[in-house]
Amino acid sequence: MALSQSDPQAKPTLISRLSQHRLNSSAMYRAVYQSGTLLKSEHLRLRFCRAPQDDSISRVGFLIRKKSGKAVLRNAIRRRFRRVFQMNHSKWVEPNWVVFDLPPQPVKCVLSVLVHEAEYLLGQVSS
């Protein structure tokens, strides 16, 4: 039996569950950049900080510049990073705010390499 959109008992969709995990203001990004820790790999930078005491969930943001490629590529990268975050944030003991920062030069690697680097860097956050 399929769940209808109007059914109040329906489980939230993937998008609505992820939307609560977004860094959604410039103040949140500023907090991560000012007080956060920077982790680097060859093609990716990841900044993170512990979430404030009044925020009990981990949040994610993306900084992917237009010079990285066309919109289709940038959106594909965002989707892959969002999936990596979704798979890893539940392993953390404390909630973190995380920003994936793709440097401004055009992407010269395969998406799977970026995903692997993102997984590795998120593993560093939890340790």
Side-chain angles (χ1 to χ4, degrees):
M1 180 177 153
L3 296 173
S4 69
Q5 295 289 14
S6 62
D7 184 11
Q9 298 294 327
K11 292 185 179 181
T13 63
L14 179 64
I15 293 173
S16 67
R17 283 186 282 156
L18 287 176
S19 65
Q20 72 180 352
H21 290 282
R22 284 186 6 212
L23 290 174
N24 50 13
S25 74
S26 60
M28 290 178 162
Y29 279 90
R30 200 174 307 115
V32 173
Y33 272 82
Q34 289 176 349
S35 65
T37 304
L38 173 66
L39 300 175
K40 291 182 182 181
S41 67
E42 186 177 351
H43 302 101
L44 181 65
R45 294 183 294 223
L46 184 123
R47 293 181 184 269
F48 73 96
C49 69
R50 300 283 179 234
Q53 300 233 334
D54 60 338
D55 193 0
S56 62
I57 61 173
S58 293
R59 295 180 182 272
V60 65
F62 307 97
L63 187 58
I64 303 174
R65 296 160 184 88
K66 286 187 177 182
K67 289 184 179 181
S68 298
K70 301 268 185 190
V72 174
L73 176 63
R74 294 192 312 267
N75 290 335
I77 292 169
R78 260 188 221 99
R79 282 192 302 271
R80 302 285 188 341
F81 286 170
R82 198 174 287 123
R83 182 70 179 162
V84 169
F85 173 80
Q86 183 186 17
M87 300 303 286
N88 288 294
H89 83 276
S90 61
K91 299 174 187 172
W92 299 336
V93 177
E94 297 178 8
N96 294 298
W97 287 0
V98 176
V99 175
F100 289 96
D101 184 0
L102 199 61
Q105 73 267 14
V107 176
K108 300 282 188 194
C109 64
V110 182
L111 279 176
S112 61
V113 172
L114 285 175
V115 169
H116 179 69
E117 289 181 6
E119 290 172 342
Y120 173 75
L121 292 175
L122 279 178
Q124 297 293 321
V125 170
S126 63
S127 55

